[in-house]
């Protein structure tokens, strides 16, 4: 794909997300806590080194960054999102919580982000993606960019919707329909893509399906 095409796709996605969440950003955290399961467990497992760096891809309202910054007070935090509307809410939330000086935000596309350009850091100790891959059109590129941005000994942590492998088919059909209405598409190919990326980059992969397939958790770790 040409650079112009990539830029055009990113601009289209930015416009779509700003449109979808222009209003919903105000009620996003209050409503999503009931079904975006496993986010806090992921944050507890980050365990960044003292003074280490943590990046959230698709930070949205900064809800996760606020929880993580409080849980890991010695780390430095960064986040980006493609939606300026979401970032406006994120900046307000960080300021209200007194964390604006500990968390740096930027606007960027997950499929082509560069941590050096965005934040002046060449690599990151911990990167996490919380229910974002199901919303990012270039989701495989986002994984590859994250892996390329890991420092030695660094890890990429992912939580997202699974495929409801051990849940009733009707529950899957109805919930997936409601997700699709908000341009959310659980990635059936995620396990295979993670195995490919791990093998190609010499990474250790830990993949787990939880809550009867409602939640998929994965960690890719670069050896130190």
């Amino acid at each position: 794909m040409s650079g112009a095409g990539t830029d055009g796709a990113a601009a289209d996605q930015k416009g779509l997300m700003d449109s979808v969440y222009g209003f919903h950003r105000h009620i996003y955290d209050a409503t999503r806590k009931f079904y975006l399961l496993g986010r806090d467990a992921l944050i507890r497992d980050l365990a960044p080194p003292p003074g280490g760096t943590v990046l959230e891809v698709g930070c949205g309202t900064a809800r996760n960054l606020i929880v993580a910054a409080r849980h890991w007070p010695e780390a430095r935090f960064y986040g980006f999102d493609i939606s300026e509307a979401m970032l406006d809410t994120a900046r307000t939330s960080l300021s209200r919580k007194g964390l604006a000086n500990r968390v740096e935000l930027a606007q960027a596309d997950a499929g082509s982000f560069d941590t050096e350009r965005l934040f002046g850091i060449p690599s990151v100790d911990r990167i996490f993606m919380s229910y974002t891959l199901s919303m990012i059109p270039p989701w495989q590129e986002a994984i590859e960019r994250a892996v390329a941005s890991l420092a030695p000994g660094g890890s990429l942590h992912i939580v997202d919707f699974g495929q409801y492998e051990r849940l009733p088919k009707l529950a899957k059909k109805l919930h997936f329909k409601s997700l699709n209405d908000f341009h959310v598409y659980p990635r059936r190919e995620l396990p295979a893509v993670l195995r490919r990326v791990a093998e190609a980059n010499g990474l250790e992969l830990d993949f787990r399906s939880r809550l009867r397939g409602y939640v998929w958790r994965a960690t890719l770790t670069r050896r130190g």
Side-chain angles (χ1 to χ4, degrees):
M1 181 181 290
S2 68
T6 302
D7 291 345
D12 290 345
Q13 181 67 7
K14 178 183 182 301
L16 176 62
M17 291 297 99
D18 282 343
S19 174
V20 169
Y21 292 107
F23 165 73
H24 284 279
R25 63 194 169 108
H26 300 296
I27 60 172
Y28 187 91
D29 292 335
T31 57
R32 268 58 177 181
K33 66 181 180 181
F34 298 109
Y35 62 89
L36 298 187
L37 307 178
R39 296 179 295 173
D40 292 345
L42 179 151
I43 290 168
R44 290 193 298 270
D45 290 344
L46 288 174
T53 52
V54 180
L55 168 69
E56 181 175 16
V57 175
C59 64
T61 64
R63 179 267 181 195
N64 295 329
L65 286 170
I66 290 169
V67 174
R70 287 173 167 172
H71 196 81
W72 302 105
E74 296 185 0
R76 295 174 291 154
F77 289 88
Y78 304 87
F80 71 83
D81 202 280
I82 199 168
S83 169
E84 282 290 357
M86 281 294 208
L87 289 171
D88 285 344
T89 297
R91 294 185 187 101
T92 300
S93 296
L94 288 168
S95 179
R96 186 182 301 122
K97 301 295 184 179
L99 293 169
N101 63 335
R102 289 196 52 213
V103 182
E104 186 174 346
L105 301 178
Q107 193 276 327
D109 173 33
S112 58
F113 72 93
D114 183 323
T115 59
E116 181 75 63
R117 178 178 59 81
L118 291 174
F119 306 112
I121 52 175
S123 60
V124 187
D125 296 303
R126 301 289 184 269
I127 300 176
F128 68 100
M129 301 176 172
S130 172
Y131 290 93
T132 56
L133 291 177
S134 51
M135 299 181 67
I136 298 171
W139 64 276
Q140 297 188 39
E141 290 87 344
I143 293 172
E144 291 168 352
R145 284 301 310 147
V147 164
S149 302
L150 288 176
S155 52
L156 167 62
H157 301 252
I158 295 169
V159 63
D160 216 311
F161 295 108
Q163 288 293 301
Y164 294 26
E165 307 96 88
R166 298 179 301 281
L167 288 167
K169 292 182 178 180
L170 181 59
K172 174 178 179 176
K173 180 179 180 180
L174 293 177
H175 195 209
F176 276 30
K177 171 60 169 61
S178 68
L179 294 175
N180 294 167
D181 289 343
F182 283 91
H183 307 281
V184 177
Y185 304 96
R187 306 302 184 183
R188 178 174 53 85
E189 306 89 348
L190 180 59
V193 169
L194 291 175
R195 287 193 295 269
R196 173 181 61 79
V197 172
E199 183 176 351
N201 292 276
L203 307 175
E204 297 177 0
L205 170 63
D206 178 38
F207 181 89
R208 304 182 186 189
S209 176
R210 295 177 172 172
L211 299 178
R212 302 183 71 184
Y214 184 95
V215 174
W216 280 355
R217 277 280 310 270
T219 305
L220 286 166
T221 303
R222 185 181 299 286
R223 299 178 181 88

